[in-house]
Amino acid sequence: MKFPWANIAILVLGGAELLTGYLSLTNGTPEWATALHVHRILGFGIVALLFWKGRNILARLLVWRLWKRQWLPYSLSLFLLATLLAALGLGIAWSHLGPFYLAGISGVSWHIYLSLALTPVLLWHTLRHRWNFRTRYWAERRNALRLGGLALAGLALWQAGELANRLASLPGADRRFTGSYLRGDVAGNGFPATSWLNDAPDPVDIYNWRLKVSGLVERALELTPSDLATLNDHSQTVRATLDCTGGWHTTQDWTGIPLQAVLDLAGIRPQAASITVRSVTGYFRRFSLEEAEDYVLATTVGNEPLSHWHGYPLRLVAPGKRGFEWVKWVDSIEVNDTSKWWQPPLPVT
């Protein structure tokens, strides 16, 4: 039986796309730009493969007698192909045409959602065709050359697209290395207010609000706004870029109290390994102690007090992290003896 290399190539490239997409989504420093570049190259490699073999793949899916025998597998396969095409199309459009929205959701967010929807179907497709992964099918020099050729084709298509962006002055030429576009280029609260899980709490009652510090500390704390005001001598302003996974970014001057100053006030015990920063909504993210040294609990942005939707009274500023790590409406910090990795890779609560 002839080795169906195109099918396996889609599985391999699709799996690599999910991995590099995840790394791109969760890392916001230039050091991780390579992951996004590889993501783009592999995506265009899939485009090249579909141009080459698409007619054969689609022709098989349109054979009626095969549908009658295996309607469920073929339905899932058609869903896989359609969703893959939609995800690729949205990603390419976002990279060249600039920001756009469908039903109030950004094109890049739809690209992410559709890619996540592909994951279970891709796993099912891999298990269904697991016999293709036997060594006698894939361990051939020509198959490695084919995959290498697809990677080169993807590289060429990606660079051609970037050149078109520059020559035609397309909006995509101005996007950040993460793929995000500039929003809110004025100082203050004028940039978009978004939340990973669409949290929408009522305005915080500042008179009853407390910042609690607990866990592996020498002194558990409940700090009032007045208590925090006594730490103003430690006040710090940092210029940092908030890069939202929804496809926009803004660079602002954030002023507040260094997170480390609060931890020093509580006294960290030697066995501590990470901290959890939690919102009044229950939303949380965990960080290593080393990372926390560079973070600020901001009260103002661009010389304006934080608005409610931007996290008043305290918002975590985490330079180099994507926007979903910048916890808003902070009301508690817990010091843990476990690693920062002991949490969902992406927020679920």
Side-chain angles (χ1 to χ4, degrees):
M1 183 176 184
K2 186 178 179 181
F3 172 60
W5 72 272
N7 196 22
I8 296 304
I10 290 177
L11 294 176
V12 172
L13 294 177
E17 277 284 82
L18 290 172
L19 175 60
T20 54
Y22 166 76
L23 293 174
S24 304
L25 184 70
T26 55
N27 294 279
T29 58
E31 290 78 11
W32 285 95
T34 300
L36 189 53
H37 295 334
V38 172
H39 184 73
R40 290 163 177 153
I41 292 170
L42 295 177
F44 278 110
I46 294 175
V47 171
L49 176 62
L50 292 176
F51 271 126
W52 188 6
K53 287 290 187 179
R55 285 189 304 172
N56 291 341
I57 296 171
L58 191 59
R60 184 171 177 82
L61 288 174
L62 294 178
V63 176
W64 176 244
R65 60 183 177 81
L66 296 177
W67 274 87
K68 289 196 296 184
R69 292 205 310 258
Q70 302 184 64
W71 66 271
L72 181 58
Y74 270 63
S75 297
L76 290 173
S77 295
L78 189 59
F79 171 81
L80 178 62
L81 178 60
T83 308
L84 176 62
L85 290 172
L88 288 170
L90 286 166
I92 293 171
W94 185 267
S95 297
H96 298 282
L97 303 181
F100 60 92
Y101 296 82
L102 303 171
I105 299 174
S106 69
V108 72
S109 293
W110 280 115
H111 169 74
I112 294 168
Y113 298 154
L114 290 177
S115 298
L116 292 175
L118 280 172
T119 304
V121 184
L122 187 63
L123 290 174
W124 163 82
H125 203 61
T126 302
L127 292 173
R128 183 167 180 257
H129 293 278
R130 60 187 178 276
W131 58 272
N132 290 329
F133 290 99
R134 296 174 185 172
T135 304
R136 65 192 179 96
Y137 287 120
W138 59 263
E140 296 181 10
R141 181 171 175 269
R142 61 182 174 180
N143 293 325
L145 291 175
R146 286 166 174 163
L147 285 173
L150 287 175
L152 288 175
L155 176 62
L157 288 172
W158 169 47
Q159 286 301 302
E162 294 302 306
L163 180 61
N165 274 343
R166 294 191 295 272
L167 293 179
S169 298
L170 295 176
D174 296 325
R175 70 192 191 283
R176 198 168 184 251
F177 69 88
T178 57
S180 297
Y181 290 90
L182 179 64
R183 292 284 300 276
D185 56 348
V186 295
N189 289 285
F191 57 94
T194 59
S195 296
W196 178 266
L197 297 178
N198 294 320
D199 286 338
D202 292 331
V204 174
D205 179 0
I206 194 63
Y207 297 103
N208 293 315
W209 174 87
R210 300 289 183 272
L211 175 63
K212 299 178 182 178
V213 185
S214 61
L216 293 175
V217 294
E218 300 297 337
R219 296 168 295 280
L221 303 175
E222 285 197 19
L223 302 175
T224 66
S226 298
D227 294 329
L228 289 175
T230 64
L231 297 175
N232 279 342
D233 289 343
H234 298 279
S235 181
Q236 180 179 347
T237 298
V238 297
R239 177 162 292 181
T241 299
L242 173 59
D243 194 324
C244 178
T245 53
W248 57 267
H249 69 88
T250 182
T251 300
Q252 300 281 352
D253 290 328
W254 309 84
T255 302
I257 301 163
L259 178 55
Q260 189 62 49
V262 175
L263 295 175
D264 289 343
L265 186 64
I268 301 176
R269 294 183 180 177
Q271 62 269 42
S274 68
I275 64 165
T276 299
V277 180
R278 197 176 302 272
S279 166
V280 297
T281 66
Y283 184 95
F284 71 92
R285 295 309 291 161
R286 183 177 284 204
F287 308 94
S288 69
L289 294 178
E290 291 74 19
E291 290 173 326
E293 293 176 358
D294 298 323
Y295 295 169
V296 169
L297 295 171
T299 57
T300 67
V301 55
N303 295 319
E304 293 181 8
L306 284 172
S307 69
H308 167 61
W309 294 114
H310 285 310
Y312 176 83
L314 281 184
R315 176 178 194 155
L316 180 68
V317 173
K321 297 288 188 180
R322 298 302 295 272
F324 66 85
E325 305 270 23
W326 292 42
V327 182
K328 296 194 287 187
W329 310 293
V330 176
D331 73 343
S332 71
I333 300 167
E334 184 177 359
V335 181
N336 317 295
D337 61 357
T338 49
S339 166
K340 72 168 187 174
W341 301 111
W342 195 252
Q343 66 177 336
L346 293 172
V348 292
T349 57

